[in-house]
Structure formats: structure tokens, C-alpha cells
Amino acid sequence: MMKFNYNILTVALVVTATACATASSETTAKAEPVADTGPSAIEKAELSKRDYLTPPVNFEIKPRPKDKNEFPKFVDYLLEVMHPRSEAEMVGDAEMMAKYKGVHNIDSIVIAAPGFPADITMKQYEEYMEHFRENQFTSMSVTVSNGSDKSVEEVFDRIETFNKYISDNSDRYHQIKSVADFDIALKAGKLAQFYNFQSMNAFGGEISNIEKYYNLGLRTANFTYNQDNIWGGGTVSNEDGSNDGVTDLGKQAINEMNRVGMVVDCSHSSDQTCFDAASITSRPMIMSHSNNATLQPIGRNNSDKAMKAVAATGGAICINFIGGFLNPQGMARPMDIAKHIEYVGNISGREHVCAGSDFVYNYAGTLMWILNNPDAFPESMGYASPSHMGMPGEIWGVVRALEEIYGWNENEIKGLLGGNLIRVYKANWQ
């Protein structure tokens, strides 16, 4: 019934707008054309009734505690405020899912690899994969390291274990190693996966490891997880003004990644690292999960100029679904996410925008990890702050908002869902 009522509202708005336009054209046939100024006040009032525009009750903003004894209670509070929408509000998403059934739908950053982070279990992994199936995803880039590992060997073992699991469950999963695998998995109805690093620390300072990881399925890697390292400047450089960029070793890594076919990623990196990488790379690069600093000015986000530099390589900028990175209120409703997508589409071109939810399924365990490691996860960058945490399925509410409010057409939506990323992958992968 709720879906029916939503459809009635949609049809009513369209019919009303069409009728008004027809009546106007009949009575003012000789009038000069009037420029389109967007929705009228009445139309805006009707649009404001849509569930993705109606703001939730603001949640109380509690400060991040420093006393470890207070961590468990604070985590419980963060879990209470994390969900952007209720199930009832998401009913209308089914219409968008039906419209784009059979289209590549890729999440460019998924925190799900068993054993990482905060010891994600295989059971949690399978539960998370069910969410992707229910929300019509076709493939995803799974993070297997953010540079906090005990050793390089640990990461190699994690990937090899994960590869075996996918192989043992080939009736449901498909490992992507080439662009052709996207279509193969889609036609077979299997959920496809490939791997990413959120820090080059797992290369262990050895350029030769890049090809070894590539052969195991690693397809994208960014320089650093916030902190400056031997590869490049992290977002800490955006915050303290140190402005560190790509190092000499980082340049070697870019050249080797270009050679073997691995995508260069500058999320979690400083603006200067993004500028440098864009000037060095011979292939399109990405920001796999970065939001815009003009809309939410925190160190973790990147500037217009950095995003334009990435787009100029032929690359793509993927917006994440974390409220603290979207706005000061910590909201990650569909319109909050759509606002960043539309903004980046305006400054770089809609063909250079994508989505990377960055949702961590083991959120409670991860929050404890974050709270216990404040240097790696600074509060000033939004970590463990009261915030919505949009799950990947929020993409369908975002698609509705982009179509109905910002006028995105079907081809632009297909690009956002997966086409823009596949273009980048095709230009990189061997």
C-alpha cells in the first residue's frame, strides 16, 4: 500500500505539471518562450513531502569520550543514530531498482574482507553479501588492508584465503580480474568481487610486491590512510597545512601500477597527493570514497581542485555515504548524498562521478577499534562522531533524488551506478 501511495503521488505530480503546461501553452500561444527556472513554489512544497527530502528528527550530538570506560556506552549510542531512513521510507526504492534491473551496480569501496577490520567474521560477511543481493548490486571492490596490518605476509594470507573462499563458493561468487568478468558475473547472476588497499603500507616498501598483489586480484590502491607515509601525504596534510604530496617512492609505485594495470586511488590522501598523482599517472585514476570539502570542510574531504585533477585524467570520484563526511549535521539521507554527487558532477562532469558507500558491516567492533586508535582516526576528521552510516542500499534513494530533483537522465544514472567505473577499470586493467 505504501508503494501504491507513493506511485499515486508521483503520477499526480506529473499529471498536474503536464496539465498546467498544456493549459499555459493554449492560453499564451503567442507569448515568448520563458526560461525554465526549476520547480515552482507549489511544486517544491509537494516535492518536500517525499521521504528522501523530509529530514529526520535531529539526533543529539554527544562528544567523543576519551575515557576508555565510557567507550561501550558511546558505541551503543552511535549504533542508535546510524540509520538514515526507516524501512517504510525505503519502500519507494523498489521502483528505481526495477527501472535499473540488469544494469551494472558497483560499490567502489566495501569493508567486508573476513578478518579485517576489527575481525569481521565469515558469518558477518555472508550477512553483508545478502544486503548487496537484496539491493541489486552486481559487483564490489573489497578492502583487504588499510595499512594497519602486522605484516605484509598477513595481507598475502588474507587475500589467498579470501580467493579460496570465493572459488569454493563459485555458485554464488565470482572474482573479477578482467573487465570482461563484470559481464560474465552479471549474466551468471553471481555477486562479483575484486580487491583494494586503502594504504600502500601493505606493499611493504617493495615495488615488486605490486605485481604480486595484482596477480592475486588487487585492482586499486591508494597511498595512505590519513597519515603521511613513505608513499605520500595523507589527509592530515589537508588539516595541518603541511601539504605533503607524492614521494619519490610513491612516484615509482604509480609508474609500476600503470605498468601492471592497477588503478591509482587518492582517497584518504592530501589534495597535494591527488594533484601530484594526477600529473604523474598515464592512466585514469580514482577517488574511491571521497566527499567534497566545499560542502563539508573537514580534512578528510578533498577540494574542488583535487577532484577536478582526478577527473581530468579520465578518472572518477566516488561519494561515500557517511554523514560526518557529508555535512556538519552528520546526515546521510538520500538528498545529503545526492547533493555531493550533483556538486561533483557540476564541477567535473557527471561522467566522472560514482558511489563508494564505505560502510563497515562490523560497525560496533570497528568503532571500538577507532576509539582506541585516535591518532589513526582523528575526531577532527569525523571518525566516531555521531553520524548516519548509509548502507550501500541507500543508492536507490539517491537515484530517485538525482532523477526527480536534479534531472539526471538514465544514461547518467547508469554511469553513476557502474559505467563510469568500468570505463576507468578498462583503461587500466591488463
Side-chain angles (χ1 to χ4, degrees), residues 51 56 83 97 107 171 208 219 221 243 251 264 319 341 391:
D51 58 65
H83 298 291
M97 291 175 66
D107 192 324
D171 58 322
S208 61
R219 288 296 178 268
N243 208 32
K251 293 176 184 178
V264 176
I319 301 304
I341 291 173
M391 290 188 75

Side-chain angles (χ1 to χ4, degrees), residues 36-63:
D36 182 10
T37 56
S40 67
I42 294 176
E43 289 169 335
K44 286 181 179 178
E46 289 297 324
L47 288 170
S48 69
K49 297 176 183 177
R50 305 295 182 88
D51 58 65
Y52 56 76
L53 287 175
T54 305
V57 176
N58 289 339
F59 46 78
E60 179 186 0
I61 303 296
K62 296 181 180 180

Side-chain angles (χ1 to χ4, degrees), residues 43 47 54 83 91 127 169 171 198 243 274 309 321 353 390 422:
E43 289 169 335
L47 288 170
T54 305
H83 298 291
V91 170
E127 290 172 352
N169 293 275
D171 58 322
Q198 291 196 44
N243 208 32
C274 295
F321 298 178
V353 191
I422 289 177

Side-chain angles (χ1 to χ4, degrees), residues 288-336:
S288 60
H289 56 301
S290 291
N291 293 348
N292 185 269
T294 298
L295 299 183
Q296 170 63 334
I298 59 174
R300 169 62 177 80
N301 289 344
N302 291 105
S303 67
D304 290 15
K305 187 177 178 182
M307 290 185 166
K308 288 178 182 179
V310 170
T313 69
I317 300 101
C318 302
I319 301 304
N320 72 51
F321 298 178
I322 300 175
F325 301 160
L326 290 164
N327 50 60
Q329 296 76 34
M331 301 292 184
R333 305 273 283 177
M335 274 300 294
D336 299 310

